[in-house]
Amino acid sequence: LTSVTIPDTVTSIGNHAFYDCFNLTSATIPNSVTSIGDEVFSLCDSLASITIPDNVTYIGNSAFSGCGSLASVSIPDNVTYIGSYAFSGCGSLASVTIGNGVTSIGESIFSSCDSLASITVDPANTVYHSDGNCLIETASKTLIAGCKTSMIPSDGSVTSIGDKAFSLCNITEITIPDSVTSIGNY
């Protein structure tokens, strides 16, 4: 399977639908889709780009994990949930933009993303923000994901580094500011 066009009568893509389709280079998802299940495109190593439609509200666990050719991702504003490991193992992933509607993000969403250099959250998002290429849960002041170019803000907006925040992200150096009082596992 090298390409797929999902018809606009589909509203949900079920778990494992295109799992391990390593030759899949192109997937067209219509605006009718509101949910992308667990591991839907997991291990689709040839998938170089994907457009997540504006109506999607849910991205499941490991939905795009192991998509080694995926270069960038833009999460639309209507997405409220991004599951754990959603983009882990995407070795070519260089930039991620997260929309203003995301209110829940699982762990290790960018683990093993060696090329990730840019994490941006829409400024209108009330739960998360980005600063210094770090993904930060605003209320808890917890850095939940970083990348190889992350610079932890020293303005007090980060007091905790969450579990697996820098898991396998090819970081070579990081300065932890005095405001950080706890560092999670891994």
Side-chain angles (χ1 to χ4, degrees), residues 1 50 59 61 96 113 124 130 140 148 158 179:
L1 184 65
I50 192 76
I59 298 173
N61 297 326
V96 174
C113 291
S130 56
S140 68
K148 69 179 186 176
V158 174
S179 61

Side-chain angles (χ1 to χ4, degrees), residues 4-11 28-33:
V4 64
T5 300
I6 299 167
D8 61 8
T9 54
V10 174
T11 58
T28 303
I29 304 172
N31 275 332
S32 58
V33 171

Side-chain angles (χ1 to χ4, degrees), residues 72-163:
S72 67
V73 171
S74 182
I75 309 294
D77 290 338
N78 285 334
V79 172
T80 58
Y81 177 84
I82 303 171
S84 296
Y85 304 95
F87 299 97
S88 69
C90 294
S92 297
L93 187 62
S95 67
V96 174
T97 303
I98 298 173
N100 63 35
V102 176
T103 57
S104 180
I105 296 176
E107 68 178 21
S108 293
I109 63 169
F110 304 125
S111 67
S112 297
C113 291
D114 296 344
S115 300
L116 188 59
S118 173
I119 301 172
T120 306
V121 177
D122 186 303
N125 190 304
T126 59
V127 178
Y128 300 98
H129 72 279
S130 56
D131 189 357
N133 288 315
C134 298
L135 175 58
I136 303 163
E137 186 177 48
T138 305
S140 68
K141 297 183 177 184
T142 301
L143 189 154
I144 61 168
C147 64
K148 69 179 186 176
T149 61
S150 289
M151 294 180 61
I152 302 172
S154 59
D155 61 359
S157 63
V158 174
T159 59
S160 176
I161 298 174
D163 291 347

